[in-house]
Amino acid sequence: QVQLEESGGGWVQPGGSLRLSCAASRNIFNIYNMGWYRQAPGKQRESVATITSGGGTNYADSVKGRFTISRDNAKKTVYLQMNSLKPEDTAVYYCKAILGPALSYWGQGTQVTVSS
């Protein structure tokens, strides 16, 4: 099994920044595709940003230009730098490791709240 642990969430004012981290428990982290997802109350979980094992990235339209996903394979960690945060970014953010077409692991989530 792969254990994922998110950190870095919290409360910020609109326009502020946060950096989320997701640390994996396995040494084969470098072969995983990774992603950040979020879920607000009453809404479905949505993909925010993904990064492949080779470093290719993809972003939801709502966060393009504001969020950056990156990974450090030596540290077995994936990051989500969130800038220019908006109230609508408020959600629980989850880290996901994709091991194959039918096997993924999720972290427990970290709360991000953006309000005045």
Side-chain angles (χ1 to χ4, degrees):
Q1 294 182 317
V2 177
Q3 185 178 40
L4 304 174
E5 184 174 345
E6 301 102 330
S7 62
W11 174 87
V12 294
Q13 297 185 23
S17 297
L18 286 173
R19 189 193 193 200
L20 306 183
S21 298
C22 174
S25 64
R26 301 290 293 273
N27 289 331
I28 56 174
F29 170 85
N30 62 331
I31 72 171
Y32 304 156
N33 294 337
M34 303 291 295
W36 285 99
Y37 299 73
R38 68 186 181 187
Q39 187 167 24
K43 296 185 177 181
Q44 284 222 0
R45 189 173 298 183
E46 64 175 346
S47 175
V48 175
T50 57
I51 185 166
T52 68
S53 60
T57 59
N58 193 57
Y59 298 91
D61 288 341
S62 59
V63 306
K64 285 181 179 177
R66 300 188 297 119
F67 291 10
T68 302
I69 188 171
S70 62
R71 65 192 297 160
D72 186 332
N73 290 338
K75 296 181 179 179
K76 298 181 291 184
T77 302
V78 63
Y79 305 95
L80 185 67
Q81 179 67 47
M82 304 185 294
N83 298 326
S84 302
L85 283 162
K86 305 174 181 179
E88 51 263 45
D89 294 318
T90 297
V92 177
Y93 284 71
Y94 298 90
C95 179
K96 181 183 180 181
I98 304 168
L99 281 66
L103 182 60
S104 298
Y105 291 91
W106 293 89
Q108 290 295 303
T110 185
Q111 177 70 47
V112 172
T113 302
V114 186
S115 65
S116 299

